Amino acid sequence: MGVIGLGAIGGSVAWGATRAGVEHVVGYARAEDDATAAKEAGAVGGIASSPESLIDQSDLIVLAAPPKANLKLLERVHDAVAKRAVALTDVTSVQLPLLERAEELGVGSSVVASHPFCGTHESGFAAAKSDMLTGAVVYVSHASADDEVTQGVMCFWQRLGTSPMVVDAAWHDQLVAWTSHLPQAVSTVLAVTLAADAPTDGTFGSGALDTTRLAASSVEMWRDLMMLNRQQLLRALESYDRHSALLRTALEQGDADAIASWLEKGAAFRRNL
């Protein structure tokens, strides 16, 4: 198998595959430091000189570059994928764009979208772990992939110790807009607000540190995800604005009961979660 992109997630996928006994794991990374580190750690058995050369020696390809770069990679290698009937998947938390582009390029039967529910706000191979995916749920979707290709991708994820589930891509992208992309946006808005307007002569409490953790995530990755899933994220942000306005109104009116009710709804959700 080949992994294109050896950062935190791609490096962990490659490392997990090697650890699981996949016979020949080869990687390619635009960042030379990541490629070198992955080889030295034993996450991959070799480094390819180009994405095309990686496809020539692989039965399964995992795209693990930033989301927009994954689409460009698909455009670059689709002829080679079609020629060798290579199965191709990814690790992106938006699924429709990859599947739609695969259909447009005529390789829909070879492409399955995957989204492992694991990760870190850190980036680069230095943040990769050989067991990062162990126990993770992986959402898998396809537009017209052959059953054999889909089952092969499912079996691969199972071999890495994950629990893959086939889902509808549109449902998936709506779900992650609320449960992943909205939290990232809220964390970043808070970080930007604190940086711009908070008093600078005091110590930030654990609430600020905990809540802004996501804001330290990869700018390139989150720019791409927000653009690719922007309509779904806009709907989630509209709802967030509506609920935050309830607190603002209660504060303006000095309505302690409304504030308590607002706080209790949030507390109850978190306790149940």
Side-chain angles (χ1 to χ4, degrees), residues 166-188:
V166 175
V167 300
D168 176 75
W171 173 87
H172 168 274
D173 290 0
Q174 181 182 34
L175 174 71
V176 296
W178 290 88
T179 61
S180 176
H181 304 171
L182 177 62
Q184 177 69 42
V186 171
S187 177
T188 304

Side-chain angles (χ1 to χ4, degrees), residues 145-205:
D146 292 342
D147 288 344
E148 185 177 347
V149 172
T150 302
Q151 289 305 313
V153 170
M154 296 280 283
C155 287
F156 166 71
W157 289 121
Q158 288 171 341
R159 189 165 182 175
L160 265 61
T162 73
S163 298
M165 300 170 55
V166 175
V167 300
D168 176 75
W171 173 87
H172 168 274
D173 290 0
Q174 181 182 34
L175 174 71
V176 296
W178 290 88
T179 61
S180 176
H181 304 171
L182 177 62
Q184 177 69 42
V186 171
S187 177
T188 304
V189 168
L190 177 59
V192 170
T193 302
L194 292 174
D197 300 323
T200 58
D201 55 353
T203 301
F204 286 106

Side-chain angles (χ1 to χ4, degrees), residues 11-254:
S12 297
V13 170
W15 211 345
T18 297
R19 182 186 181 196
V22 174
E23 185 176 351
H24 190 45
V25 181
V26 182
Y28 170 82
R30 185 178 61 181
E32 200 170 306
D33 289 349
D34 285 340
T36 301
K39 183 69 166 60
E40 290 178 349
V44 294
I47 297 295
S49 59
S50 69
E52 290 84 356
S53 66
L54 189 62
I55 290 171
D56 287 340
Q57 54 187 311
S58 302
D59 301 306
L60 170 66
I61 293 292
V62 179
L63 299 180
K68 194 171 182 181
N70 279 343
L71 294 177
K72 290 182 178 179
L73 281 165
L74 179 62
E75 293 166 359
R76 176 175 170 178
V77 304
H78 74 278
D79 283 339
V81 168
K83 185 182 298 184
R84 292 201 63 246
V86 177
L88 185 145
T89 191
D90 70 333
V91 293
T92 307
S93 68
V94 175
Q95 296 190 330
L96 272 178
L98 181 77
L99 297 178
E100 291 174 346
R101 191 68 185 117
E103 288 290 299
E104 292 167 357
L105 293 168
V107 290
S109 61
S110 298
V111 176
V112 175
S114 299
H115 175 204
F117 271 63
C118 65
T120 172
H121 65 277
E122 299 175 336
S123 58
F125 183 80
K129 297 179 181 178
S130 64
D131 62 349
M132 182 182 286
L133 285 94
T134 302
V137 170
V138 181
Y139 280 164
V140 173
S141 61
H142 59 84
S144 63
D146 292 342
D147 288 344
E148 185 177 347
V149 172
T150 302
Q151 289 305 313
V153 170
M154 296 280 283
C155 287
F156 166 71
W157 289 121
Q158 288 171 341
R159 189 165 182 175
L160 265 61
T162 73
S163 298
M165 300 170 55
V166 175
V167 300
D168 176 75
W171 173 87
H172 168 274
D173 290 0
Q174 181 182 34
L175 174 71
V176 296
W178 290 88
T179 61
S180 176
H181 304 171
L182 177 62
Q184 177 69 42
V186 171
S187 177
T188 304
V189 168
L190 177 59
V192 170
T193 302
L194 292 174
D197 300 323
T200 58
D201 55 353
T203 301
F204 286 106
S206 59
L209 297 176
D210 292 345
T211 312
T212 57
R213 177 182 63 83
L214 294 176
S217 301
S218 165
V219 171
E220 182 181 10
M221 179 185 75
W222 278 106
R223 176 203 62 198
D224 290 355
L225 289 174
M226 288 181 178
M227 288 298 294
L228 290 171
N229 208 27
R230 61 187 182 275
Q231 294 303 325
Q232 296 289 355
L233 179 54
L234 279 168
R235 294 187 185 96
L237 283 168
E238 287 170 3
S239 180
Y240 176 80
D241 290 343
R242 187 168 66 254
H243 288 284
S244 63
L246 295 175
L247 174 61
R248 186 180 301 111
T249 299
L251 287 168
E252 289 171 347
Q253 297 176 352

